[in-house]
C-alpha cells in the first residue's frame, strides 16, 4: 500500500496534532503517524488529569535551551491569548491557579478532544499503530517513509514533500516516548544536546535520605535555589526524596554532582531570632526558640541530624557563631541529591535536537530541506506551569505557518 500527501507529521502528541490541523488549514493534505495505540496520551495524563494547557504569561525566560534566543520568534507568533481563544471557541471550561497556570475544570480530555476535532474538521488523517522502519530523502527534497502496522504487520510506503518530527522526549516511556526523533535528526546530520530527565523529583542516599523519608507527606513553602536560579514554591517530602513544584522547577537547572539550597523558613531570619532569644530567654533550647517556625517533627529530625551536639544546651551557653551556623542550616539547608527519579516519572526531557541547526522562525532544519522539528524533541525545556504545552503550540504553529505559506 502507498500514500502520497503534502505533509507527514510523526507523533500524534500535543505539538504534532496542533501543527497538523494548522498546516491543513492552509489547504494542504496532512497525515499524522504514531506508533502508539492512542493519540495524545501525555495530554491525558497532564496536569494531574486536568491539563495545565497554557500559562497567562509566557516569556522566553521560562525556557531552557543552549540557544536561549531560539524560542523568541515562535513565542511571539503564537502566544497564550491565541490558545485561550481556541479553548474558548470550543467552550472548554477552565480556571486559573497560582502563577497564571490555566487548567481544565473537567478533564484534560477536553484539550485532546479539541485537537482531534480540529484535525477532523480540517481533514487530517491519523494513522496509529504505525512503526516507522525507515525514512529516505528523495531527489526533489521530499521523503519516503516505510512503515509496518504494529497489529497486522502490513507494510505501507508514504511519500510527502514536508516531514515534521514531533516525537517528543524520553520521559515516561509507557506513554509512547522513544528516542526516535533524535535518530532521525542524526540521520540528517543534526547533533543532539545530551538529554536528561527534568521536572523530576530528587533522590538522596545516606542519612539525609533517611531524614527526608521520615518526613514523607510534609509540604512547606520554601525558597529552593542553586547558583543559577531560585524558586519560591512548595516543597514536598516523599518516601523517595524531595518533590513538589520547588524541586521540579529546580531540577530543570540541576546536573548530577551539584548541590541545591533550601530556605526552610523564608519568612524568618533564624540567626536574628536565635541571637535575640539568647538575650531575652537565655535558658531556652534552640528547638524551643524555633517552635512555631517549623513543624515539630521536622525540627526534631533536623536537630538530630544537624546540631545534635548542641540540642540540649541552653542558648546562653552557645556561641553566637554556633547559633549562626544552626541558622544557616535552616535558612540555607544545602543538600547534594544523589540523582533524580529519572525518565520513569519526569515530566519532560531536557536537551534534544540542537537548535543551532534549526530555524527559530520556521522550525525547519538548516541541514535538510523540508524537514522540521517541533515540541519537546528540540533542545527547549519549559518551566512547570503550562510552558511545555506553550512550546508545543508555538513551535507547532510556526512550523505550520511556514509549510502552509509555501
Ligand atoms: P508528546 O506529547 O510526548 O508526543 C509525542 C508523540 O510521538 C507521542 O504520541 C508518541 O507516541 C509519538 N512517538 C514517539 N516515538 C515515536 C515513534 N518512534 N514512532 C511514531 N510515533 C512516535 N506540560 C504542560 O505544559 N502542562 C502540564 O500540565 C503538563 N503535565 C505533564 C504531566 C506528565 C505526567 C507528563 C509526562 C508531562 C507533562 N507535561 C505538561 C509536558 C508535556 O506533556 C510535553 O512537554 C508535551 O506533551 C510535549 O509535546 P510533544 O508533542 O513534543 O510530545
Amino acid at each position: 500500500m502507498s500514500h502520497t500527501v503534502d505533509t507527514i507529521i510523526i507523533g500524534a502528541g500535543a505539538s504534532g496534532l496542533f501543527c497538523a490541523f494548522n498546516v491543513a488549514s492552509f489547504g494542504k493534505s496532512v497525515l499524522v503517524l504514531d506508533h502508539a495505540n492512542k493519540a495524545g496520551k501525555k495530554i491525558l495524563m497532564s496536569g494531574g488529569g486536568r491539563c495545565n494547557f497554557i500559562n497567562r504569561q509566557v516569556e522566553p525566560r521560562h525556557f531552557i535551551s543552549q540557544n536561549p534566543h531560539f524560542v523568541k520568534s515562535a513565542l511571539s507568533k503564537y502566544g497564550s491569548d491565541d490558545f485561550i481563544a481556541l479553548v474558548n471557541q470550543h467552550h472548554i471550561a477552565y480556571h486559573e491557579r497560582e502563577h497564571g497556570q490555566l487548567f481544565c475544570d473537567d478533564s484534560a480530555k477536553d484539550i485532546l478532544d479539541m485537537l482531534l476535532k480540529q484535525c477532523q474538521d480540517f481533514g487530517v488523517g491519523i494513522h496509529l499503530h504505525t512503526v516507522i522502519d525507515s525514512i529516505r530523502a528523495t531527489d526533489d527534497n521530499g521523503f519516503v517513509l516505510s512503515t509496518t502496522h504494529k497489529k497486522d504487520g502490513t507494510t505501507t510506503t508514504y511519500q510527502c514533500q514536508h516531514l515534521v518530527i514531533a516525537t517528543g522526549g524520553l520521559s515516561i516511556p509507557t506513554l509512547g516516548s522513544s528516542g526516535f526523533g533524535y535518530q532521525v535528526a542524526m540521520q540528517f546530520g543534526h547533533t543532539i544536546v545530551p538529554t536528561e530527565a527534568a521536572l523530576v523529583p530528587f533522590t538522596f542516599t545516606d542519612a539525609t535520605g533517611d531524614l527526608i523519608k521520615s518526613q514523607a507527606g510534609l509540604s512547606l513553602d520554601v525558597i529552593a535555589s542553586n547558583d543559577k536560579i531560585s524558586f519560591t514554591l512548595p516543597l514536598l517530602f516523599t518516601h523517595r526524596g524531595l518533590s513538589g513544584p520547588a524541586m521540579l522547577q529546580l531540577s530543570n537547572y540541576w546536573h548530577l554532582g551539584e548541590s541545591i539550597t533550601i530556605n526552610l523558613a523564608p519568612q524568618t531570619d533564624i540567626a536574628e531570632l536565635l541571637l535575640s532569644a539568647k538575650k531575652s530567654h537565655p535558658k531556652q533550647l534552640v528547638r524551643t526558640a524555633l517552635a512555631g517556625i517549623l513543624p515539630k517533627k521536622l525540627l526534631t529530625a533536623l536537630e538530630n541530624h544537624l546540631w545534635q551536639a548542641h540540642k540540649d544546651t541552653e542558648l546562653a551557653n552557645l556561641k553566637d557563631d554556633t547559633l549562626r551556623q544552626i541558622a544557616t542550616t535552616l535558612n540555607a539547608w544545602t543538600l547534594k541529591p544523589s540523582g533524580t527519579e529519572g525518565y520513569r516519572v519526569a515530566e519532560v526531557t531536557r536537551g534534544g535536537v540542537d537548535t543551532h541547526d534549526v530555524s527559530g522562525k520556521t522550525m525547519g532544519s538548516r541541514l535538510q530541506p523540508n524537514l522540521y522539528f517541533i515540541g519537546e524533541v528540540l533542545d527547549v525545556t519549559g518551566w512547570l506551569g503550562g510552558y511545555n504545552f506553550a512550546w508545543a503550540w508555538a513551535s507547532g504553529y510556526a512550523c505550520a505557518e511556514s509549510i502552509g505559506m509555501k
Side-chain angles (χ1 to χ4, degrees):
M1 223 194 317
S2 116
H3 291 271
T4 302
V5 288
D6 179 83
T7 300
I8 286 185
I9 298 176
I10 306 181
S15 64
L17 293 174
F18 187 77
C19 183
F21 71 77
N22 277 294
V23 175
S25 74
F26 286 90
K28 307 263 181 192
S29 54
V30 183
L31 202 51
V32 184
L33 307 180
D34 200 303
H35 64 170
N37 58 352
K38 205 173 169 159
K41 282 189 181 181
K42 227 173 243 183
I43 299 172
L44 294 175
M45 289 281 291
S46 67
R50 291 252 162 82
C51 187
N52 177 195
F53 55 81
I54 198 96
N55 196 288
R56 283 239 185 248
Q57 197 191 26
V58 178
E59 291 170 5
R61 69 185 175 90
H62 298 119
F63 298 86
I64 301 138
S65 170
Q66 286 204 347
N67 180 7
H69 299 295
F70 179 77
V71 296
K72 287 182 178 170
S73 173
L75 293 180
S76 69
K77 271 188 204 155
Y78 194 91
S80 323
D81 290 347
D82 299 303
F83 196 78
I84 293 167
L86 183 66
V87 167
N88 287 335
Q89 196 187 312
H90 284 258
H91 307 291
I92 295 173
Y94 62 87
H95 59 277
E96 184 168 339
R97 297 192 193 163
E98 63 282 8
H99 309 294
Q101 306 171 89
L102 301 187
F103 285 79
C104 296
D105 281 358
D106 295 329
S107 160
K109 192 170 173 296
D110 290 346
I111 297 294
L112 178 57
D113 287 349
M114 174 186 84
L115 298 174
L116 293 173
K117 170 89 173 54
Q118 289 286 109
C119 283
Q120 192 183 24
D121 289 352
F122 284 105
V124 171
I126 301 176
H127 292 188
L128 301 173
H129 303 285
T130 303
V131 176
I132 321 292
D133 299 318
S134 71
I135 298 175
R136 181 170 61 78
T138 56
D139 292 342
D140 64 347
N141 290 330
F143 300 89
V144 175
L145 282 69
S146 303
T147 70
T148 305
H149 195 274
K150 252 187 183 173
K151 279 171 98 179
D152 59 21
T154 47
T155 56
T156 305
T157 303
Y158 294 91
Q159 293 192 42
C160 61
Q161 196 54 41
H162 303 103
L163 179 63
V164 183
I165 307 301
T167 45
L170 294 169
S171 19
I172 321 216
T174 48
L175 296 180
S177 307
S178 76
F180 183 72
Y182 310 135
Q183 282 172 40
V184 178
M186 287 190 285
Q187 178 187 337
F188 290 102
H190 284 267
T191 43
I192 307 299
V193 173
T195 56
E196 278 179 89
L199 293 185
V200 64
F202 290 115
T203 54
F204 298 84
T205 45
D206 66 36
T208 312
D210 293 339
L211 182 156
I212 290 167
K213 277 179 210 158
S214 75
Q215 305 300 309
L218 174 67
S219 176
L220 284 182
D221 287 335
V222 303
I223 300 176
S225 59
N226 62 9
D227 54 355
K228 300 174 199 94
I229 197 141
S230 104
F231 293 99
T232 304
L233 284 168
L235 160 78
L236 178 67
F237 290 79
T238 76
H239 288 292
R240 292 177 187 275
L242 291 180
S243 186
M247 293 297 104
L248 300 190
Q249 294 283 36
L250 200 57
S251 73
N252 266 357
Y253 293 87
W254 179 84
H255 295 96
L256 191 63
E258 293 176 356
S259 296
I260 61 170
T261 301
I262 300 171
N263 183 345
L264 291 166
Q267 310 295 342
T268 312
D269 182 335
I270 296 201
E272 202 178 286
L273 183 149
L274 290 177
L275 292 170
S276 95
K278 182 178 171 178
K279 285 191 193 129
S280 57
H281 300 89
K283 288 193 172 306
Q284 264 189 349
L285 302 176
V286 170
R287 64 174 167 274
T288 327
L290 293 179
I293 304 292
L294 286 170
K296 191 168 177 227
K297 191 175 165 203
L298 176 63
L299 196 54
T300 307
L302 290 167
E303 173 183 73
N304 288 330
H305 187 66
L306 299 171
W307 65 91
Q308 190 167 30
H310 310 298
K311 72 178 203 179
D312 294 321
T313 310
E314 294 172 355
L315 293 175
N317 296 325
L318 289 170
K319 288 188 183 142
D320 288 0
D321 268 359
T322 306
L323 293 176
R324 284 194 195 94
Q325 275 164 22
I326 292 172
T328 303
T329 62
L330 301 176
N331 277 145
W333 189 26
T334 302
L335 302 164
K336 197 177 256 191
S338 56
T340 69
E341 289 192 40
Y343 291 119
R344 193 181 53 83
V345 296
E347 285 201 12
V348 287
T349 301
R350 188 175 58 203
V353 178
D354 191 338
T355 56
H356 289 96
D357 292 325
V358 177
S359 158
K361 286 198 170 64
T362 67
M363 303 297 132
S365 164
R366 295 192 200 281
L367 308 178
Q368 178 65 41
N370 298 330
L371 177 65
Y372 298 80
F373 297 93
I374 57 172
E376 206 182 307
V377 73
L378 285 161
D379 170 35
V380 174
T381 308
W383 284 13
L384 189 75
Y387 299 104
N388 285 292
F389 282 137
W391 177 243
W393 318 140
S395 59
Y397 184 81
C399 171
E401 192 189 58
S402 159
I403 296 175
M405 304 275 248
K406 277 190 180 175

